[in-house]
Amino acid sequence: MELINLRVSAATTDSEKMQFIRFPWRVYKGDPYWVPPLIGDRKAMFDPKKNPSLEHMEVALFLASAFIKRADTTLTPDMPLASLQSEVVGTIAAIINHRHNEFHNEQVGFFGFFECLNDPQVATALLDTACEWVAGRGMTAIRGPMNLSTNDECGLLVDGFDSSPMVMMTYNPPFYPVLVEQAGFHKAMDLFAYFMDFGEARDLGQLPTKLTRVAEKVRKRGEIRLRPIDMKDFDREVGRFKEVYNQAWEKNWGFVPMTEAEMDHLAQQLKQAIDPVLIWIAEVAQGPEAGRVIGVGLTVPDANVVLKHMNGRVNPLTILKALYYQRRIKAARVIALGVVEEWRGRGVDALLYYETARAALVQGLSAWRRLLDFGEQCHDESRLADARWPCV
């Protein structure tokens, strides 16, 4: 494949933004593991009126386009380049997250929504464009991919290409990490996913013996109690989750505190997909702090089983497909599980994991996956890349 007249330009019109959103369908055509995002969700993500994260972010979308000379293409010396019909060959978003830079005292930009054909020339052109855009706004480095932050899909999949991603997890062709490294990027951090399959027997005894033993000891001590989320008190429950989230995740790599608007937005999105029996809240059971929320476990059924068959569209036919495939969901994704610092090391997390697994098996779910953890061996591996310093 030979590319002629390769250029990268900003996607600013509605038509160009739709080209940006639709391009992955070309990259992943025929890939049995790819899960198409809902087009409406992608449009909302880039709409400042619908995505509160854009209140503290600057985001620019770019399209790479070129004329593709194929084996049966005949070009004449007098043929002007302008007459060649270009097509989209790649996309990238350049991102500045001001809250990240304030919280971490950095001047770093990000790239995301990186998709391209298997061509190093295209990848380098896209990544250079993002680098130049953030550098022009005072950033000294660029990191990614982030779609748009660590609270969304992030990282490049580098291992585990033999299965579909679960909800809110990343997926890409195996050649992406190679293209990114060839463009001058190096690893910034490893991200890991952990997978457990309980099989058709759905045997809780497959949990690690130590986890089960610790969970039982914590339960007998009676210092804490666990309860499922109260959907009738949803707004106040979200407030309790906010409180724990910003404490429990504060020291995680890449963490940025979510704003009230962001948390409310996420809660409303998840409300449509959650199963209340999979969301557990740990509270102090006795003493002066009785009732204080000290830990949370947020697990959702793997909606990607449904999304995979909707092809990005919501219409009467895909709704019928969704109703059918919803019954075939057999796995769950642990999106977040955390304990406030002063209660760590006391088995609260073990009890949250145990009760989540028990509830999932009762619901007929036989497997679960957790992302993201940093720096340990795992089942699937993703990677965040850092650019050259300085970013020029």
Side-chain angles (χ1 to χ4, degrees):
M1 180 178 68
E2 180 183 351
L3 301 181
I4 299 174
N5 201 25
L6 173 65
R7 60 189 294 267
V8 178
S9 57
T12 55
T13 68
D14 289 343
S15 174
E16 290 166 342
K17 290 178 181 177
M18 185 56 69
Q19 285 182 294
F20 184 101
I21 291 170
R22 291 288 304 174
F23 177 70
W25 272 257
R26 178 174 180 181
V27 175
Y28 298 98
K29 184 178 182 180
D31 188 328
Y33 301 122
W34 182 58
V35 179
L38 290 177
I39 292 173
D41 285 353
R42 279 291 189 257
K43 291 171 69 176
M45 181 170 274
F46 301 131
D47 186 344
K49 296 179 181 178
K50 297 180 179 180
N51 185 356
S53 294
L54 298 181
E55 294 175 6
H56 55 82
M57 292 184 185
E58 298 176 55
V59 179
L61 310 181
F62 295 95
L63 294 168
S65 58
F67 174 79
I68 301 178
K69 184 181 178 183
R70 297 177 172 86
D72 58 350
T73 304
T74 301
L75 300 178
T76 60
D78 59 340
M79 185 177 291
L81 291 178
S83 68
L84 302 178
Q85 187 172 358
S86 294
E87 50 190 294
V88 176
V89 293
T91 64
I92 200 167
I95 305 157
I96 298 175
N97 185 338
H98 293 291
R99 278 180 65 83
H100 172 97
N101 288 333
E102 290 166 6
F103 189 77
H104 292 280
N105 194 28
E106 293 184 319
Q107 287 297 107
V108 62
F110 297 92
F111 72 89
F113 302 95
F114 172 78
E115 306 283 1
C116 77
L117 303 185
N118 191 3
D119 187 296
Q121 185 182 3
V122 177
T124 299
L126 287 166
L127 291 162
D128 281 352
T129 298
C131 191
E132 291 165 6
W133 189 87
V134 300
R137 287 155 180 77
M139 302 299 104
T140 57
I142 188 168
R143 188 177 300 146
M146 296 273 191
N147 299 344
L148 296 160
S149 73
T150 54
N151 295 317
D152 305 292
E153 296 171 8
C154 58
L156 286 168
L157 189 67
V158 298
D159 187 29
F161 294 98
D162 56 351
S163 62
S164 292
M166 288 193 183
V167 62
M168 293 178 69
M169 289 180 65
T170 191
Y171 182 79
N172 52 260
F175 58 82
Y176 275 16
V178 177
L179 293 178
V180 171
E181 289 181 352
Q182 287 178 343
F185 285 71
H186 61 268
K187 181 180 73 174
M189 179 59 68
D190 285 329
L191 290 71
F192 298 108
Y194 300 85
F195 181 78
M196 173 168 273
D197 189 346
F198 292 92
E200 290 300 320
R202 297 199 292 274
D203 180 14
L204 198 59
Q206 293 187 53
L207 284 171
T209 303
K210 182 177 179 181
L211 185 146
T212 303
R213 184 175 66 251
V214 171
E216 187 59 30
K217 284 184 178 179
V218 173
R219 194 193 314 276
K220 287 181 178 179
R221 283 202 303 262
E223 294 178 333
I224 65 168
R225 58 173 174 259
L226 256 60
R227 63 172 179 81
I229 187 173
D230 182 357
M231 295 300 290
K232 294 180 180 179
D233 194 22
F234 186 75
D235 290 342
R236 292 179 66 183
E237 295 283 58
V238 171
R240 297 177 184 113
F241 179 85
K242 292 177 192 174
E243 194 174 325
V244 173
Y245 178 82
N246 284 333
Q247 291 181 58
W249 276 263
E250 183 179 14
K251 295 181 181 179
N252 280 12
W253 186 91
F255 169 79
V256 178
M258 295 181 76
T259 65
E260 294 285 322
E262 284 179 304
M263 189 67 78
D264 291 339
H265 179 68
L266 177 62
Q268 291 305 315
Q269 285 182 311
L270 291 177
K271 189 176 183 180
Q272 306 170 41
I274 62 177
D275 184 336
V277 302
L278 296 179
I279 300 178
W280 289 89
I281 296 171
E283 298 176 331
V284 178
Q286 53 192 340
E289 288 193 311
R292 177 194 172 195
V293 176
I294 57 169
V296 292
L298 172 59
T299 301
V300 297
D302 182 23
N304 275 6
V305 173
V306 174
L307 294 177
K308 193 172 184 178
H309 298 276
M310 297 182 70
N311 199 31
R313 299 288 187 181
V314 178
N315 55 45
L317 178 59
T318 60
I319 290 174
L320 287 175
K321 286 184 177 181
L323 293 173
Y324 173 76
Y325 283 103
Q326 187 176 24
R327 298 185 305 231
R328 302 185 68 176
I329 296 176
K330 298 298 181 184
R333 159 88 199 281
V334 182
I335 291 182
L337 189 147
V339 178
V340 297
E341 188 170 10
E342 61 268 34
W343 278 84
R344 292 176 196 162
R346 298 165 74 171
V348 180
D349 54 342
L351 190 55
L352 284 167
Y353 273 122
Y354 185 89
E355 287 301 326
T356 298
R358 184 194 58 77
L361 295 182
V362 169
Q363 293 297 99
L365 303 172
S366 58
W368 64 351
R369 180 172 291 175
R370 181 185 177 189
L371 183 82
L372 47 92
D373 285 293
F374 303 100
E376 299 175 28
Q377 195 170 3
C378 66
H379 177 265
D380 292 346
E381 180 180 358
S382 300
R383 182 165 294 162
L384 280 163
D386 241 339
R388 304 164 292 254
W389 288 78
C391 182
V392 293

